[in-house]
Amino acid sequence: MQKQGYWGYIFTLPFVINVVVFLLFPILFSTYISFTEWDLFNPPRWIGLDNWVRVLNKHEFWVSIRNVFVFALIFVPIQTLMAFVIAFMLNQAIRAKGLFRLFYFLPVVTPWIAGGVVWVWMFNYQYGVINWVLESVGLAPVKWIDSSHWLMVISSIAIVQVWKGVGQSMIMILAGMQNVPKEVLEASQIDGANGWKQLTKVVFPMVTPMVYLVMILSTISAFQAFDVFLGLFGSITTGIPERNMVPNLLVYRDAFLLFKMGPASATAWLLFVIILSFTLFQKYFEKKWVHYD
């Protein structure tokens, strides 16, 4: 029995090393770095709360927080709703169901570089296909990501993020829908429920755990937005103005372009606090609409 216990420790040792090296150590080290002045080349110098105060007093940081909040408020509801609708449609008895699932999941595996190039072309003010469609129906062209209005730019980028992530969310909700017992659906049909009532009164309550999971993951994904901005703007130094910044771009710029690891770590920790607060806010309302029985 004692020998079996040793083997257990040996087999779990790689996992423990992985957690210590790639999780605990970075967390503790970034916490320490946030209280120091460090440029990667010279030893860190302890400066207390200066980095935190400097970040909180920086106008650019609060602009990035505003942007990521608006980005999340646009992205999360649209992605969740679209994923639910698409999953419901693909859960029906239709032809070429596998082909449609592949079509909706394809953006998930498309690299951001390729996707960004395509969307930049589609958003082009003069030659983009979206403005071409608008002009074809008599509407004025729109400056999607070139606009001087930050809300238009953030909204356009949120649409691209929906394109990228809706397939993955759809798969999760579809898995929940396929676990709805057919006997329950047949019983509701016998009771006279039409398609809309089946969707809202039977299917939706039974897949609310998956919808809630999609909302949590989408919220975290929104606050960690990084690739979508680089994919559309190309360069953080020349392509992204301050009015369109988000926190992860500030962390990347401060850490790896300006070598200011202290402010970058402080910004990362503030972003973590915001994500945790938002997740706990969603958790607070979980019992009011999520059904696990």
Side-chain angles (χ1 to χ4, degrees):
M1 184 67 183
Q2 190 175 6
K3 188 176 180 180
Q4 290 177 347
Y6 286 135
W7 278 110
Y9 288 121
I10 291 173
F11 282 124
T12 56
L13 189 59
F15 174 75
V16 173
I17 293 175
N18 180 66
V19 170
V20 172
V21 174
F22 296 106
L23 184 63
L24 292 181
F25 175 73
I27 289 175
L28 297 176
F29 189 64
S30 68
T31 306
Y32 167 69
I33 289 300
S34 70
F35 295 101
T36 67
E37 183 179 357
W38 188 41
D39 61 0
L40 287 175
F41 305 105
N42 298 300
R45 185 172 67 87
W46 183 267
I47 58 173
L49 293 172
D50 285 4
N51 286 325
W52 295 76
V53 174
R54 198 176 305 161
V55 170
L56 290 172
N57 288 330
K58 192 184 293 184
H59 177 260
E60 191 179 38
F61 172 74
W62 292 110
V63 170
S64 70
I65 294 298
R66 177 203 66 186
N67 289 343
V68 82
F69 260 100
V70 173
F71 182 81
L73 288 175
I74 297 172
F75 164 68
V76 175
I78 293 178
Q79 169 154 298
T80 306
L81 179 62
M82 285 190 64
F84 182 83
V85 172
I86 295 172
F88 180 75
M89 292 170 61
L90 294 182
N91 197 38
Q92 307 303 310
I94 59 175
R95 290 185 177 180
K97 187 185 299 183
L99 186 62
F100 281 113
R101 290 176 182 175
L102 175 64
F103 174 76
Y104 285 113
F105 194 76
L106 197 58
V108 178
V109 295
T110 303
W112 263 121
I113 295 178
V117 170
V118 172
W119 275 100
V120 167
W121 174 76
M122 292 173 65
F123 279 145
N124 187 278
Y125 180 74
Q126 291 182 310
Y127 311 108
V129 65
I130 298 177
N131 279 342
W132 176 78
V133 172
L134 291 178
E135 290 179 313
S136 300
V137 296
L139 298 177
V142 177
K143 289 187 175 181
W144 298 98
I145 58 174
D146 302 326
S147 175
S148 58
H149 300 288
W150 65 271
L151 184 59
M152 173 58 73
V153 177
I154 298 299
S155 303
S156 302
I157 297 174
I159 293 172
V160 179
Q161 184 78 353
V162 170
W163 165 82
K164 179 72 174 174
V166 71
Q168 190 172 10
S169 300
M170 177 270 295
I171 289 294
M172 288 189 283
I173 296 177
L174 181 60
M177 286 184 178
Q178 290 184 338
N179 287 327
V180 176
K182 292 182 180 178
E183 295 79 7
V184 176
L185 296 175
E186 291 171 355
S188 64
Q189 283 181 336
I190 294 173
D191 290 339
N194 55 25
W196 175 252
K197 284 189 176 180
Q198 272 193 342
L199 175 64
T200 56
K201 304 295 184 183
V202 180
V203 177
F204 180 74
M206 298 187 75
V207 298
T208 47
M210 301 308 294
V211 175
Y212 175 69
L213 176 63
V214 165
M215 291 183 65
I216 292 291
L217 296 178
S218 299
T219 302
I220 295 173
S221 172
F223 279 100
Q224 292 180 338
F226 177 76
D227 295 345
V228 62
F229 283 84
L230 281 188
L232 290 178
F233 289 109
S235 171
I236 190 173
T237 54
T238 59
I240 307 178
E242 178 184 323
R243 64 176 180 274
N244 298 333
M245 276 287 182
V246 287
N248 269 333
L249 292 174
L250 294 180
V251 173
Y252 174 77
R253 186 199 62 187
D254 289 345
F256 302 110
L257 298 181
L258 303 179
F259 303 111
K260 297 179 178 178
M261 302 303 292
S265 297
T267 304
W269 271 104
L270 288 170
L271 180 60
F272 167 75
V273 172
I274 291 172
I275 294 175
L276 180 62
S277 304
F278 219 76
T279 304
L280 292 177
F281 177 77
Q282 290 177 310
K283 182 73 176 173
Y284 176 77
F285 291 101
E286 175 191 4
K287 293 181 180 177
K288 296 183 182 297
W289 66 278
V290 179
H291 307 281
Y292 291 101
D293 297 329

